[in-house]
């Protein structure tokens, strides 16, 4: 469990570093190198015979490679799409739902037929496809390397303030968003990690628990497509209300899991949970673009994902500890529903704060702009008066 938890946490923990490299070297190089590192980590994991080396090969090396390959795929979309960014993110992120549905069945067949080690080697094919896909990333927004030294010049390391762009935290709406979402995620992933074990404790082996994963994956993909399209019709920072709704329903569904004494009720809960999970994921990048703009979006997403790594790594082990102490997952699921509700309540303030921030920005430069315009008008009048006699002399000659 700690191997998978470490791997999940490292994917997000590395995100601030990935954002810095993305700004310095561009999406293409970072994605290609990340996929290559992930391929090496996954391939080396297939030759490990004990669990201790897996902490490094799979928990760190493979996870870091995935992190370097994942984040540029979110940033690059904003270079090409503006009006339909929500729909595009929904289509792209729906791919993970497709594999969530299909991979469990494929992996069970592969493990039974060729064993665990050869299964990991087969999965290396997917990482190689990801490696090739990274070459297609062609950013349209210039990165720090192009700005500082030019495309033909030598690369010069920019100032530290530009490498670590902490100025995004000066934006009040982003600051609330960056701390509100991690607060909600302390309980967000508990059902995804412990639901299968809860089903075995409650119903035994008489029910097909794989159906729950199937429901989560299918409705998550549908939610990403549907809510991604809906987000395109919601103006500005008001898109955040979709994430508020997703946190509210996921928290409510987590609390309902212990109340489900019939397997069909659990299926219904998973259908709703997957639907709003897709809503939360697909509008992450569009909201970041709205709050900080295209130039700073890479590090804005990176800092957010880095802050998300703490609750994602800590939350599921705490739920497992409660299960060991109390002998049941009921209290863990009840408590897991509280953080999403609190985080959703915090996010409700973002549209109001964002609008106030815009009004302040519009009000501040008014005096400066008017004085500048007056000076420009005076300079143009002076230049016109001095140029008129010259033109008349020229026309006379």
């Amino acid at each position: 469990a700690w191997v998978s938890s470490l791997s999940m946490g490292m994917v997000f923990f590395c995100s601030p570093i990935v954002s810095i490299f993305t700004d310095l070297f561009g999406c293409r190089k970072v994605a290609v190198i990340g996929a290559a590192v992930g391929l090496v980590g996954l391939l080396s994991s297939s030759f490990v015979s004990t669990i201790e080396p897996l902490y490094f090969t799979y928990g760190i090396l493979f996870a870091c490679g995935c992190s370097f390959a994942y984040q540029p795929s979110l940033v690059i979309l904003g270079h090409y799409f503006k009006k339909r960014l929500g729909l595009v993110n929904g289509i792209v992120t729906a791919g993970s739902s497709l594999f969530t549905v299909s991979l469990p069945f494929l992996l069970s067949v592969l493990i039974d037929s060729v064993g665990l080690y050869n299964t990991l080697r087969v999965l290396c094919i997917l990482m190689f496809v990801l490696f090739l896909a990274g070459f297609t990333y062609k950013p349209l927004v210039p990165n720090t390397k192009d700005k500082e030294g030019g495309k033909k010049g030598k690369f010069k390391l920019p100032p530290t303030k530009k490498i670590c762009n902490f100025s995004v935290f000066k934006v009040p709406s982003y600051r609330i968003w960056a701390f509100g979402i991690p607060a909600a995620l302390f309980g967000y992933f508990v059902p995804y990690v412990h639901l299968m074990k809860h089903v075995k404790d409650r119903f035994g082996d008489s029910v097909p628990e794989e159906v729950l994963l199937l429901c989560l994956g299918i409705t998550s993909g549908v939610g990403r497509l549907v809510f991604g399209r809906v987000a395109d019709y919601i103006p500005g920072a008001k898109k955040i209300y979709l994430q508020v709704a997703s946190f509210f329903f996921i928290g409510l569904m987590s609390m309902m899991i212990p109340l489900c004494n019939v397997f069909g009720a659990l299926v219904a809960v998973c259908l709703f949970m997957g639907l709003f999970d897709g809503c939360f994921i697909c509008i992450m990048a569009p909201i970041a673009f709205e709050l900080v703009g295209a130039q700073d979006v890479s590090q804005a997403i990176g800092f957010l994902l880095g802050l998300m790594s703490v609750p994602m790594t800590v939350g599921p082990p705490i739920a497992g500890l409660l299960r060991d102490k109390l002998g049941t997952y009921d209290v863990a699921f009840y408590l897991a529903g509280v953080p999403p509700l609190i985080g959703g309540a915090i996010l409700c303030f973002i549209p109001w704060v964002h609008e106030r921030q815009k009004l302040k920005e519009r009000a501040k430069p008014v005096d400066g702009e008017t004085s500048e315009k007056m000076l420009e008008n005076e300079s143009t009048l002076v230049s016109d008066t001095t140029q008129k006699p010259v033109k008349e002399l020229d026309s006379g000659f």
Side-chain angles (χ1 to χ4, degrees):
W2 275 107
V3 172
S4 60
S5 181
L6 177 64
S7 177
M8 186 184 299
M10 285 299 298
V11 169
F12 293 92
F13 182 76
C14 293
S15 295
I17 302 172
V18 178
S19 65
I20 294 172
F21 279 93
T22 302
D23 284 346
L24 290 176
F25 303 106
C27 295
R28 180 187 293 174
K29 292 180 180 179
V30 174
V32 169
I33 294 173
V37 172
L39 177 62
V40 172
L42 189 60
L43 185 62
S44 59
S45 299
S46 66
F47 294 98
V48 171
S49 57
T50 58
I51 195 170
E52 286 79 10
L54 281 176
Y55 288 114
F56 174 73
T57 59
Y58 189 88
I60 296 179
L61 193 62
F62 171 67
C64 288
C66 290
S67 180
F68 274 76
Y70 169 68
Q71 191 175 327
S73 69
L74 298 179
V75 177
I76 194 67
L77 298 178
H79 292 222
Y80 288 90
F81 301 94
K82 295 291 184 277
K83 293 182 180 179
R84 305 295 173 85
L85 184 59
L87 176 62
V88 171
N89 273 275
I91 294 172
V92 171
T93 55
S96 62
S97 298
L98 176 64
F99 282 94
T100 300
V101 173
S102 58
L103 271 181
F105 300 100
L106 176 63
L107 291 177
S108 61
V109 172
L110 286 173
I111 291 174
D112 292 338
S113 57
V114 299
L116 174 63
Y117 301 128
N118 289 323
T119 299
L120 292 175
R121 291 162 194 162
V122 172
L123 291 178
C124 290
I125 298 173
L126 296 178
M127 291 301 299
F128 184 71
V129 173
L130 190 62
F131 172 77
L132 296 178
F135 286 100
T136 63
Y137 295 176
K138 185 180 179 182
L140 299 181
V141 178
N143 55 25
T144 306
K145 179 180 178 180
D146 296 334
K147 293 176 187 176
E148 296 295 328
K151 292 184 178 179
K152 295 182 180 179
K154 294 182 179 180
F155 174 68
K156 294 181 179 179
L157 194 66
T160 307
K161 291 183 179 180
K162 292 187 177 182
I163 295 176
C164 297
N165 188 14
F166 291 108
S167 62
V168 293
F169 286 100
K170 295 180 180 178
V171 181
S173 54
Y174 173 78
R175 197 160 57 238
I176 298 172
W177 191 55
F179 290 101
I181 287 184
L185 292 181
F186 273 100
Y188 188 95
F189 284 95
V190 171
Y192 293 92
V193 176
H194 295 288
L195 183 59
M196 298 298 104
K197 294 179 182 178
H198 170 72
V199 171
K200 287 186 177 181
D201 292 345
R202 179 69 61 89
F203 301 101
D205 296 328
S206 59
V207 295
E209 65 269 10
E210 294 85 3
V211 174
L212 300 179
L213 288 177
L214 189 66
C215 294
L216 285 170
I218 291 175
T219 54
S220 180
V222 173
R224 297 176 195 198
L225 294 173
V226 172
F227 287 106
R229 189 71 183 99
V230 171
D232 292 331
Y233 293 103
I234 300 177
K238 291 183 179 179
K239 292 180 177 68
I240 201 72
Y241 289 129
L242 289 177
Q243 282 192 331
V244 172
S246 66
F247 282 141
F248 175 79
F249 278 99
I250 287 175
L252 186 62
M253 292 300 108
S254 297
M255 292 179 174
M256 290 184 64
I257 289 175
L259 303 176
C260 296
N261 296 319
V262 181
F263 185 71
L266 268 180
V267 171
V269 166
C270 289
L271 289 173
F272 278 102
M273 188 175 291
L275 186 68
F276 287 97
D277 171 74
C279 173
F280 164 69
I281 292 174
C282 74
I283 60 173
M284 187 88 71
I287 291 174
F289 275 93
E290 291 289 345
L291 297 182
V292 301
Q295 294 293 336
D296 299 326
V297 73
S298 175
Q299 297 208 27
I301 294 176
F303 288 133
L304 176 67
L305 296 179
L307 292 170
M308 286 168 56
S309 66
V310 177
M312 290 179 64
T313 307
V314 173
I318 291 176
L321 182 63
L322 289 173
R323 162 65 176 81
D324 294 338
K325 296 291 183 181
L326 302 175
T328 178
Y329 281 108
D330 291 357
V331 175
F333 285 125
Y334 286 135
L335 294 177
V338 176
L341 297 179
I342 296 175
I346 295 173
L347 297 184
C348 288
F349 294 97
I350 291 179
W352 176 70
V353 172
H354 193 64
E355 287 300 321
R356 286 194 63 186
Q357 176 189 340
K358 281 187 175 180
L359 291 174
K360 286 182 180 179
E361 289 177 354
R362 290 171 185 170
K364 280 182 180 179
V366 169
D367 298 332
E369 284 182 357
T370 52
S371 60
E372 285 179 3
K373 287 181 180 179
M374 291 175 65
L375 291 172
E376 287 178 1
N377 292 331
E378 289 177 2
S379 63
T380 52
L381 287 172
V382 172
S383 62
D384 289 339
T385 54
T386 54
Q387 287 177 2
K388 277 182 181 179
V390 176
K391 286 182 179 179
E392 290 176 359
L393 290 172
D394 290 339
S395 60
F397 282 106

